[in-house]
Amino acid sequence: MNLTQHFTFEELYASEIADRNGIDNTPTDPKVLNNLKSLALNLESVRRLLGKPIHINSAYRCLAVNALLGSKPTSSHIKGLAADIISPSFGTPLDIVRAIVASNIQYDQVILEFDRWCHIGFAEDDAKPRLQKLVIDKSGTRTFKG
């Protein structure tokens, strides 16, 4: 089911980890479903910014999938408010992070993770976005300097 022109509901909850472990990662909570619609709209803004297709590595995660990935139980992925993305036809994850940071997109967090993907999360409901820019790698977590 299409949520927006370029993003489907199914791709926002698809999970190889869930499939491999026999976990149903399909969201059913009405709040999460609304958040996923909002996430899809926000990802359309990122796609317009990049001018190229976006591949979603991971978006919604149920608690069990999130735990298997070693992610925090407070992750925005659990709420349906975050996606880990790449866009090889645009450039590297670093290129994506730089473009988002330089844009007027109202993200809550953008994180360059292990130089392999860009995490982008959005604020819940009418909460003010933090515009937090981070890098996570084997050295730990630090502020993204550009």
Side-chain angles (χ1 to χ4, degrees):
M1 170 175 74
N2 277 34
L3 294 176
T4 63
Q5 181 180 357
H6 298 103
F7 300 102
T8 67
F9 176 60
E10 293 79 12
E11 75 184 304
L12 292 178
Y13 72 82
S15 169
E16 290 179 17
I17 298 289
D19 292 346
R20 278 189 241 133
N21 288 279
I23 298 169
D24 183 1
N25 195 51
T26 310
T28 57
D29 181 290
K31 179 77 173 155
V32 171
L33 296 173
N34 281 333
N35 287 346
L36 287 171
K37 290 176 190 172
S38 177
L39 177 62
L41 288 170
N42 283 312
L43 290 173
E44 287 288 351
S45 295
V46 174
R47 191 182 194 284
R48 276 191 303 278
L49 171 70
L50 303 181
K52 300 289 182 182
I54 292 171
H55 174 78
I56 299 170
N57 294 338
S58 176
Y60 172 75
R61 299 179 195 149
C62 68
L63 284 170
V65 169
N66 200 60
L68 282 172
L69 289 169
S71 188
K72 295 178 182 176
T74 56
S75 170
S76 292
H77 287 278
I78 294 168
K79 298 175 184 177
L81 291 169
D84 296 338
I85 62 171
I86 59 172
S87 180
S89 59
F90 175 78
T92 67
L94 175 59
D95 295 331
I96 296 168
V97 170
R98 283 181 174 151
I100 292 169
V101 167
S103 77
N104 62 357
I105 292 174
Q106 294 296 295
Y107 59 86
D108 188 54
Q109 276 189 327
V110 64
I111 307 171
L112 177 62
E113 293 196 49
F114 302 96
D115 287 321
R116 294 185 54 217
W117 65 86
C118 168
H119 166 98
I120 186 162
F122 297 93
E124 199 165 8
D125 296 325
D126 293 327
K128 182 178 168 119
R130 296 176 291 173
L131 300 176
Q132 191 175 51
K133 306 170 289 254
L134 301 170
V135 174
I136 296 176
D137 59 23
K138 62 183 177 185
S139 301
T141 303
R142 61 187 177 283
T143 301
F144 177 80
K145 302 287 187 195

